[in-house]
Amino acid sequence: MQKWRATRRLLLNSYSSKSRFDHPRSNPISDHSTTISRSSSGFESWTGRIHYRHFATAMIQRNPAFSTLNSDDINYFKGILGDKNVIEDEDTLLFANTDWMRKYKGSSKLLLQPRTTQEVTEVLKYCNSRRLAVVPQGGNTGLVGGSVPVFDEVIINVGSMKQVISFDKVSGVLVCEAGCILENLVSFLDNQGFIMPLDLGAKGSCQIGGNVSTNAGGLRLVRYGSLHGTVLGIEAVLANGDVLDMLGTLRKDNTGYDLKHLFIGSEGSLGIVTKVSILTPPKLSSVNLAFLACKDYSSCQKLLFEAKRRLGEILSAFEFLDNESLNLALNHLEGVRNPLPPAMHNFYVLIETTGSDESYDKEKLEAFLLRSMEGGLISDGVIAQDINQASSFWRIREGVPEALMKAGAVYKYDLSLPVETMYNLVEEMRTKLGNSAKVIGYGHLGDGNLHLNISTPQYDDVILAQIEPFVYEWTSKQRGSISAEHGLGLMKANKIFYSKSHETVQLMASIKKLMDPNGILNPYKVLPHSIVSYS
Amino acid sequence: MKIMVAVKRVIDYAVKIRVKPDKTGVESQNVKMSMNPFCEIALEEALRIKEGGMASEVVAVSMGPAHCVDTLRTGLAMGADRAIHVDATGPLYPLSVAKLFKALVELEKPALLILGKQAIDDDCNQTGQMVAGLLGWPQGTFASKVVLDKEKQLATVDREVDGGLETLCMDLPAVITTDLRLNQPRYATLPNIMKAKSKVIKKYTPQELNVEIKSDLEVLQVTEPPKRKAGVIVSSVDELIDKLKNEAHVI
């Protein structure tokens, strides 16, 4: 069987079934690119450029209140962490200073790798007393420049804290350290008969601490909800070194203010998450996937409505992509073929169900789909008959971001919008830009999350000016979110007002000031620079 | 001309299998089952032959407990015209399957019997060959290309062998077993799934076919292969020599 597997892998050149890409963001206000002569994997066909946020460094000044590193500091850190975990080596630093998309590059001179919460405490206490700015870092797979330094902040990478502390087989509560890679947790849980409640493309590198700190969304949100619901407890270290042990494993605990929610999604700006306790769902054996074609967007919407009612508890994913997205994927990805017989369809929907009874689920899904087809909601569709077919359907949907990168330059937007009006934005942008760019839309329709992407041969400020701030204003008018799941990071640090009121942001700034008076945790990010002032 | 295709229900190839603690076999409760990938290819080839006008009917056959019907439904959804389920509980080894196929072939009289070259659960690669032997039919195994000549009633089969490709020409009726490169199976579309609901699945028992299922084989034990030990990073040449000498005993 092994030889056959290897042959098949070779022959079909199939992507690993779990290579789901996150959505690279590109929101250059003024984009200067510099050609760098080092290999950039995955970008071969696209000149290997790295985009520096010259905008950021030109418009943001390094806060003079922060100290600069000196040799005493380095020796002190070596005393706490040991020589091996205090890294000044340039090559390693280059990697830690650059984000996954290679859009943002900091100039930190020091990378620290604590192995215990105690070490994190001592490091932060010292940094706070010395007023040294720090960047908490995990898998460094974020897409908004939140995981890398802007200037010379010290990088504190929790990747060495990767123990699974405990797992309760009855309740499914997993307690682990923040540096555990998501995929490793998935494998661990697989042996126990459980799964992680979140699933995203970066799972081979992203760490649970980072997932929690950014409130990562992903493909399973429609079924299991967000991390605000599934995370039961957190242990975090504050800027002054205080350890907040809120690492409960209880489903219900109404004693006081639930402070862990402050850390979920605050992108490391309020504290460093060191341990996580999360509720994991049991692994259900019956997974079914259908790839469907709809003739218009309103059919997609009605299908979502029907799916929620007819498939109910077994629905585990509902994604959509428009015709342009599919064509892009078919043209630029290898080993990908159209699951449907060739015909012009306008929209495609992926519906996944997960349940415990194979035949019951399949019957339910088939009945629902046949009924929808008779009702005119679906014009054609296929159901995956085995895991391999299912992976190839997912490859199409998850490969769109990759296809976009191969097609040239891409302006990416991750927006939460009301489902009824979501696609109107895509159509308006298409009309606005005409032939100068290709506008595509796809995303988590089940969660009301649109990934709007504008593909052009090259980055062009003229095109950009037509996109922004139009897209943000449009979203704001719909009371939508300008960042559904990626967070604000550095990229959208000044955009929060499109989605949040002044009073709300003021309170956020007050909380930040309270918890991090010296502002050393992940500065220049998340909140607008005008609001966050340092004494 | 009628084509009979064998399809087997196996643990999905992408599932991470685990050996049962009592070592009698592999964990098969609550794991995803699907059609053996080689059987999918066999069925796809039969459908293509039919669409090319060389055959009038494709019959899918599966043997085993009641759940096999799911696999047959998949086959019907891909486009098979009808299906046969041989209801048998207990383990079915290739020789028993071959005997059952002999009985079915005598009933249905197809001109071509296509099977996957092997099943991914037992990797036997025996059934096709045994059936051909029992029937006295020619066999083209590990087929990577099949061309039929309806007039002359022959099949030209390219076989994947260790040395390369071997081309055989054989008279029909014949047995063909399929290899990976033969084709890429189609997906089951909704309209076909709808049509499949009205297609017939006929049930037989081994007794009705006059075949005695005798287990000539007994599985004694199933164990996992030994786990690969993690590598060790040594910090100096001396340490390497020491390990090679004293631990690995190779110098």
Side-chain angles (χ1 to χ4, degrees):
Chain A
M1 173 122 119
Q2 289 308 310
K3 185 167 170 214
W4 175 75
R5 273 190 214 259
T7 316
R8 185 177 192 135
R9 248 201 302 273
L10 233 77
L11 268 179
L12 300 182
N13 192 26
S14 61
Y15 239 73
S16 96
S17 65
K18 299 291 177 184
S19 73
R20 299 176 181 179
F21 280 73
D22 238 323
H23 313 286
R25 293 218 41 120
S26 162
N27 176 11
I29 303 285
S30 109
D31 216 15
H32 301 275
S33 48
T34 313
T35 319
I36 293 278
S37 61
R38 71 172 158 108
S39 70
S40 34
S41 57
F43 291 36
E44 295 93 20
S45 61
W46 193 59
T47 70
R49 288 183 186 183
I50 293 176
H51 280 246
Y52 289 111
R53 282 279 298 178
H54 281 189
F55 165 66
T57 47
M59 304 287 276
I60 306 177
Q61 301 293 330
R62 183 189 181 282
N63 187 343
F66 292 141
S67 313
T68 349
L69 271 178
N70 59 36
S71 51
D72 287 336
D73 299 324
I74 310 242
N75 289 332
Y76 186 84
F77 291 134
K78 285 190 177 167
I80 309 175
L81 304 173
D83 281 7
K84 263 204 208 155
N85 297 316
V86 174
I87 295 163
E88 296 174 90
D89 163 60
E90 277 183 23
D91 288 324
T92 321
L93 272 173
L94 185 59
F95 192 69
N97 264 308
T98 316
D99 80 319
W100 188 73
M101 289 309 302
R102 295 188 215 160
K103 276 188 67 189
Y104 300 99
K105 186 174 180 293
S107 32
S108 170
K109 297 270 181 288
L110 190 64
L111 167 66
L112 301 177
Q113 295 181 321
R115 286 151 306 171
T116 63
T117 307
Q118 184 56 30
E119 287 179 3
V120 176
T121 299
E122 291 185 36
V123 165
L124 275 180
K125 209 186 294 193
Y126 182 79
C127 290
N128 195 32
S129 65
R130 274 277 292 135
R131 272 210 133 144
L132 288 166
V134 304
V135 171
Q137 189 181 79
N140 196 6
T141 57
L143 303 170
V144 288
S147 52
V148 291
V150 182
F151 299 106
D152 60 344
E153 300 90 279
V154 174
I155 305 172
I156 301 182
N157 190 309
V158 297
S160 307
M161 299 170 62
K162 48 190 173 178
Q163 304 274 25
V164 168
I165 297 172
S166 72
F167 179 68
D168 181 334
K169 277 190 234 215
V170 177
S171 60
V173 177
L174 172 72
V175 182
C176 61
E177 291 183 320
C180 294
I181 294 179
L182 186 60
E183 193 160 61
N184 293 348
L185 290 176
V186 171
S187 306
F188 168 78
L189 288 174
D190 198 61
N191 286 335
Q192 315 285 339
F194 287 81
I195 55 169
M196 285 299 279
L198 76 162
D199 182 21
L200 54 157
K203 75 188 91 173
S205 312
C206 68
Q207 297 168 12
I208 192 68
N211 290 143
V212 167
S213 301
T214 55
N215 191 22
L219 297 152
R220 293 211 179 113
L221 201 130
V222 72
R223 168 78 167 246
Y224 300 114
S226 88
L227 287 173
H228 281 290
T230 50
V231 169
L232 300 180
I234 281 179
E235 181 196 72
V237 182
L238 298 177
N240 63 3
D242 280 355
V243 176
L244 276 187
D245 179 1
M246 304 176 291
L247 198 62
T249 55
L250 308 168
R251 284 291 265 128
K252 302 163 91 165
D253 180 11
N254 280 347
T255 51
Y257 305 152
D258 199 353
L259 295 179
K260 66 173 185 285
H261 291 293
L262 275 179
F263 295 93
I264 303 175
S266 54
E267 306 179 49
S269 60
L270 295 179
I272 299 187
V273 171
T274 47
K275 294 195 180 82
V276 173
S277 133
I278 187 164
L279 182 65
T280 65
K283 184 175 157 85
L284 299 174
S285 56
S286 151
V287 179
N288 287 299
L289 187 63
F291 191 91
L292 313 161
C294 297
K295 64 178 190 297
D296 54 28
Y297 184 67
S298 79
S299 305
C300 298
Q301 270 182 70
K302 287 189 200 130
L303 196 61
L304 173 62
F305 180 81
E306 289 296 314
K308 284 193 169 159
R309 310 185 101 62
R310 308 247 166 244
L311 297 175
E313 73 284 1
I314 61 169
L315 181 67
S316 57
F318 195 104
E319 300 283 313
F320 92 106
L321 51 158
D322 62 12
N323 194 35
E324 289 77 3
S325 311
L326 180 70
N327 286 336
L328 211 63
L330 292 176
N331 290 334
H332 293 275
L333 297 175
E334 278 184 45
V336 156
R337 58 174 173 140
N338 192 344
L340 294 167
M344 268 310 286
H345 299 286
N346 292 321
F347 290 91
Y348 300 91
V349 169
L350 262 169
I351 297 184
E352 188 192 62
T353 66
T354 307
S356 46
D357 187 331
E358 179 85 49
S359 19
Y360 171 73
D361 286 356
K362 198 151 192 196
E363 247 180 74
K364 201 166 173 174
L365 179 63
E366 276 178 17
F368 164 68
L369 291 175
L370 292 176
R371 191 198 171 104
S372 304
M373 194 151 180
E374 282 161 15
L377 288 180
I378 307 178
S379 26
D380 203 355
V382 288
I383 300 185
Q385 299 299 320
D386 55 41
I387 299 183
N388 199 45
Q389 289 187 3
S391 305
S392 58
F393 294 174
W394 273 122
R395 175 89 184 93
I396 296 173
R397 158 64 184 87
E398 298 183 305
V400 179
E402 186 196 342
L404 280 162
M405 298 303 303
K406 291 192 178 164
V410 55
Y411 295 99
K412 279 184 173 290
Y413 298 93
D414 163 44
L415 312 161
S416 269
L417 290 165
V419 173
E420 309 83 62
T421 50
M422 198 188 281
Y423 204 71
N424 295 346
L425 177 56
V426 181
E427 287 172 342
E428 277 193 47
M429 283 312 303
R430 219 168 256 155
T431 320
K432 218 168 186 265
L433 292 174
N435 284 330
S436 60
K438 199 188 294 203
V439 179
I440 73 169
Y442 61 92
H444 315 289
L445 191 58
D447 311 331
N449 186 185
L450 172 73
H451 290 295
L452 168 70
N453 283 266
I454 293 145
S455 174
T456 56
Q458 254 119 272
Y459 283 105
D460 184 345
D461 284 348
V462 170
I463 295 185
L464 179 59
Q466 293 180 281
I467 305 175
E468 290 186 30
F470 177 75
V471 166
Y472 293 139
E473 286 170 354
W474 202 99
T475 307
S476 191
K477 259 186 242 146
Q478 303 284 324
R479 288 185 69 92
S481 166
I482 48 126
S483 182
E485 50 185 4
H486 296 161
L488 297 169
L490 177 64
M491 184 155 66
K492 291 183 257 190
N494 289 316
K495 301 267 184 290
I496 195 173
F497 293 113
Y498 283 108
S499 296
K500 290 281 187 309
S501 74
H502 240 271
E503 295 76 14
T504 317
V505 181
Q506 277 297 141
L507 185 55
M508 288 186 203
S510 308
I511 294 174
K512 167 75 173 171
K513 189 89 203 268
L514 176 71
M515 292 178 70
D516 181 16
N518 291 329
I520 60 164
L521 291 171
N522 229 358
Y524 318 111
K525 300 170 188 159
V526 185
L527 296 177
H529 308 128
S530 51
I531 294 282
V532 187
S533 60
Y534 306 107
S535 51
Chain B
M1 178 173 95
K2 206 189 290 186
I3 306 182
M4 188 179 275
V5 181
V7 296
K8 187 177 182 186
R9 181 171 181 263
V10 297
I11 296 180
D12 191 303
Y13 114 98
V15 166
K16 263 185 257 180
I17 50 168
R18 280 203 302 275
V19 176
K20 284 202 276 216
D22 60 5
K23 297 200 187 168
T24 53
V26 152
E27 220 30 280
S28 57
Q29 299 289 349
N30 260 346
V31 289
K32 177 134 181 111
M33 308 288 281
S34 0
M35 193 190 287
N36 183 35
F38 293 104
C39 300
E40 264 179 12
I41 294 174
L43 182 53
E44 174 65 25
E45 195 58 27
L47 293 170
R48 288 189 191 186
I49 293 174
K50 179 176 147 198
E51 282 161 5
M54 303 271 196
S56 56
E57 200 185 22
V58 173
V59 184
V61 180
S62 193
M63 308 184 179
H67 280 301
C68 288
V69 171
D70 293 340
T71 313
L72 288 171
R73 287 261 165 241
T74 302
L76 293 171
M78 278 172 73
D81 299 293
R82 56 189 172 85
I84 296 176
H85 171 217
V86 177
D87 196 355
T89 47
L92 277 177
Y93 292 107
L95 185 54
S96 310
V97 175
K99 289 180 185 169
L100 286 164
F101 264 112
K102 175 167 183 274
L104 284 174
V105 163
E106 280 161 4
L107 274 176
E108 292 276 342
K109 303 202 187 353
L112 203 54
L113 174 60
I114 314 186
L115 307 95
K117 77 170 179 186
Q118 65 196 57
I120 60 170
D121 52 5
D122 52 26
D123 282 342
C124 284
N125 189 355
Q126 295 166 6
T127 311
Q129 291 86 331
M130 285 178 174
V131 182
L134 288 172
L135 289 171
W137 284 11
Q139 52 182 281
T141 53
F142 318 128
S144 65
K145 188 159 134 197
V146 172
V147 177
L148 289 183
D149 188 331
K150 201 167 181 187
E151 268 182 50
K152 299 192 200 148
Q153 287 285 294
L154 10 115
T156 310
V157 177
D158 281 4
R159 302 180 58 224
E160 286 183 36
V161 294
D162 282 348
L165 289 176
E166 180 188 57
T167 309
L168 291 181
C169 192
M170 60 197 79
D171 290 327
L172 298 180
V175 172
I176 293 180
T177 72
T178 61
D179 208 331
L180 209 51
R181 267 172 262 246
L182 180 56
N183 60 45
Q184 213 174 26
R186 65 193 61 187
Y187 298 116
T189 60
L190 284 179
N192 284 341
I193 293 175
M194 229 184 330
K195 281 188 219 149
K197 292 204 182 293
S198 54
K199 292 182 185 170
V200 168
I201 300 185
K202 181 138 170 64
K203 200 167 95 161
Y204 288 103
T205 59
Q207 292 78 16
E208 284 168 6
L209 297 171
N210 281 329
V211 174
E212 196 197 332
I213 312 278
K214 225 178 18 166
S215 266
D216 320 340
L217 299 169
E218 186 195 332
V219 172
L220 294 178
Q221 195 190 60
V222 176
T223 53
E224 270 183 27
K227 283 205 171 23
R228 264 195 76 187
K229 281 209 316 235
V232 171
I233 297 182
V234 295
S235 49
S236 72
V237 178
D238 291 330
E239 200 185 331
L240 176 63
I241 296 182
D242 175 60
K243 281 197 189 286
L244 287 174
K245 209 186 236 181
N246 300 325
E247 279 184 37
H249 302 292
V250 290
I251 53 170

